[in-house]
Amino acid sequence: MRFLSNAHTHTTYCDGKSTAAEMIEKAKELGFSSLGFSGHGQQDFDSNYAMDDGREQAYLRELRALQQQETILRIWAGVEEDILAPEDVKAFHRQQMDYVLCSSHYVHNPDGTPAQMDGQWVAIDGSSAQLRQYVDRFMDGDGLAMAKHYYDELTAALRVNRVDIIGHFDLIRKNAVKANLFDEKDLAYRRIALDALESVRDVGVLEINTGAMARGYMETPYPTLELLGAWREMGGEVTITSDCHHADYLNFGFDTAMKLLCRAGYRRVLRLGRASQLWEEERVFLTRA
């Protein structure tokens, strides 16, 4: 079976390479039933890839107009919100957006503020060399300690703020090997990640994110098969997303994600709805083999 929806889509309003109209045309070509946009929401510190207030307002206006114009595809106007977004921005998102996808893109200081090194913000999925330097300088070289702090900050924020989708939960894996932080198969790291996941089991829908596969960084989606299986045992719901930045990759890796779902024992997956309800259930028919 094919999964014909996507809730994690970026456009030229932030760091995407395709316009909203181009994404919609590709979605219709693929036979999608629904498409959700999730531009990087406002921040008050790093504007390299996120929308500012003016662009976010324009983004929302265009998506509302496209919702009215589109007759084949159900369009949803969402946002990808970093956990470090200001409180007034978070309130705006919950009042004006159809849904909020929440994620964490940065290493945090002990007080929870975004970390800087040599005048640059330290992104968890950015330069592996910079991340290694940060761990050596501020975490006594302990990559596991940094991972624990990252998950603690992420889960604390998720428990406080209402979210609809939990974004790329174990993004920290992207640089784990390159930055020599930890072995993701090691029991100590797995325990940290599993404990963090359990702490947000009632927060929102967990995305199976294939974006790093499309960009050549990873061979498997976020999160790991082990985390997916644990989430199912907790009764958690999942959706498949491509974290798409270019229309050509709108459904990249969806077959792989569906096979992982089956291996983890899932019998259903959620997709964005075709009418007024945010979610619709889709049965998983593939075998677990």
Side-chain angles (χ1 to χ4, degrees):
M1 64 171 292
R2 294 189 302 157
F3 187 79
L4 301 175
S5 183
N6 186 54
H8 195 156
T9 312
H10 296 286
T11 71
T12 50
Y13 279 103
C14 54
D15 60 346
K17 307 303 181 186
S18 301
T19 65
E22 289 169 338
M23 290 290 191
I24 289 171
E25 287 307 306
K26 185 62 177 182
K28 289 193 287 189
E29 176 186 321
L30 293 170
F32 273 30
S33 60
S34 56
L35 178 65
F37 290 92
S38 56
H40 287 291
Q42 302 174 59
Q43 302 174 14
D44 58 358
F45 58 97
D46 186 357
S47 60
N48 285 335
Y49 70 96
M51 297 180 287
D52 58 20
D53 178 62
R55 290 188 71 79
E56 192 165 283
Q57 296 282 354
Y59 161 84
L60 189 55
R61 285 195 301 271
E62 179 174 359
L63 291 183
R64 293 301 184 210
L66 289 168
Q67 283 178 325
Q68 295 298 315
Q69 297 167 16
E70 185 56 47
T71 59
I72 299 175
L73 190 67
R74 175 60 161 101
I75 304 299
W76 294 88
V79 67
E80 182 175 8
E81 177 184 276
D82 192 89
I83 64 169
L84 295 172
E87 292 305 313
D88 61 332
V89 169
K90 291 178 180 178
F92 172 77
H93 291 162
R94 282 148 186 79
Q95 292 167 3
Q96 300 297 324
M97 300 294 181
D98 295 334
Y99 65 90
V100 175
L101 185 156
C102 192
S103 55
S104 178
H105 298 91
Y106 299 93
V107 173
H108 310 124
N109 292 316
D111 63 358
T113 57
Q116 277 189 298
M117 193 174 68
D118 302 328
Q120 294 183 320
W121 304 108
V122 184
I124 198 71
D125 61 338
S127 164
S128 58
Q130 182 194 51
L131 188 59
R132 182 68 253 177
Q133 291 169 6
Y134 172 85
V135 170
D136 288 343
R137 187 181 302 180
F138 298 105
M139 294 284 176
D140 295 324
D142 190 342
L144 277 177
M146 191 273 288
K148 176 69 164 57
H149 186 59
Y150 174 81
Y151 279 120
D152 284 349
E153 292 296 320
L154 170 61
T155 56
L158 289 172
R159 290 194 299 271
V160 169
N161 297 291
R162 180 187 67 78
V163 304
D164 299 291
I165 305 172
I166 301 171
H168 40 64
F169 182 78
D170 54 352
L171 181 65
I172 197 170
R173 290 170 50 225
K174 177 182 172 184
N175 279 321
V177 174
K178 286 185 179 179
N180 193 26
L181 298 175
F182 52 80
D183 181 351
E184 67 177 69
K185 296 181 181 179
D186 183 74
L187 180 60
Y189 166 73
R190 289 161 52 208
R191 186 72 267 163
I192 290 170
L194 284 164
D195 287 348
L197 189 67
E198 185 173 9
S199 74
V200 294
R201 62 187 177 199
D202 299 322
V203 168
V205 174
L206 185 70
E207 71 166 359
I208 304 171
N209 182 313
T210 65
M213 295 170 62
R215 292 183 280 280
Y217 298 125
M218 305 283 286
E219 295 182 355
T220 57
Y222 305 114
T224 62
L225 177 61
E226 181 178 26
L227 291 179
L228 279 176
W231 188 250
R232 180 190 59 77
E233 292 176 0
M234 296 173 204
E237 301 282 7
V238 294
T239 190
I240 299 172
T241 79
S242 59
D243 196 346
C244 186
H245 288 65
H246 191 291
D248 287 348
Y249 302 100
L250 190 56
N251 66 339
F252 190 94
F254 279 13
D255 289 344
T256 297
M258 189 65 79
K259 290 175 182 176
L260 280 179
L261 274 179
C262 292
R263 289 179 62 192
Y266 285 86
R267 289 296 174 262
R268 73 175 193 171
V269 60
L270 300 183
R271 67 179 179 195
L272 290 175
R274 289 165 288 184
S276 60
Q277 294 297 314
L278 181 61
W279 296 113
E280 293 178 350
E281 176 183 317
E282 185 164 301
R283 302 303 295 177
V284 176
F285 294 114
L286 295 179
T287 65
R288 296 179 63 179

